[in-house]
Amino acid sequence: MVLFWLQREMNMAKKRKTSNHGPLIYVGPGFRNSRLTTFGIFADGVPREFQGTIFAKLFVPAARLNKARADIAHKGTAMHEFYQQAIEAHKKEEK
């Protein structure tokens, strides 16, 4: 019984760490015709219209802001790739 409780607590802690709820900062490219501005703060997490899109991957908690910025600047990192994909996705939406 104790093992089950411990496993459940660990799973809940993991979910809290990876949650898209709570204040997040958008670190992706900003666009004039969009709510998305670089370093915009979203108090309730990823806005509904961006959930499930490439843009959602560019929302980070404040504690990860410096790491995310550094990763975006380095080719080959996931954040750099997400940033580039966000630019391409926006170009496609404009057409």
Side-chain angles (χ1 to χ4, degrees):
M1 187 67 165
V2 173
L3 184 59
F4 172 77
W5 176 83
L6 181 60
Q7 185 66 37
R8 191 182 85 202
E9 289 298 312
M10 289 173 57
N11 286 340
M12 288 172 57
K14 185 176 180 181
K15 285 180 185 178
R16 283 192 297 269
K17 285 183 183 178
T18 60
S19 175
N20 284 339
H21 302 293
L24 296 176
I25 301 169
Y26 175 72
V27 295
F31 307 109
R32 280 183 258 171
N33 60 347
S34 173
R35 289 180 52 186
L36 296 178
T37 58
T38 305
F39 306 124
I41 299 171
F42 292 81
D44 296 324
V46 178
R48 195 168 288 188
E49 67 261 32
F50 300 112
Q51 290 177 1
T53 69
I54 191 64
F55 302 103
K57 296 179 185 294
L58 294 164
F59 286 84
V60 297
R64 288 191 42 226
L65 178 60
N66 289 335
K67 172 91 170 97
R69 291 181 66 197
D71 287 350
I72 288 169
H74 288 96
K75 287 184 179 180
T77 64
M79 289 301 281
H80 178 82
E81 293 302 315
F82 297 150
Y83 191 96
Q84 298 304 317
Q85 290 174 16
I87 292 171
E88 292 301 315
H90 184 72
K91 284 180 184 176
K92 288 179 183 176
E93 288 176 6
E94 284 187 324
K95 291 182 179 182

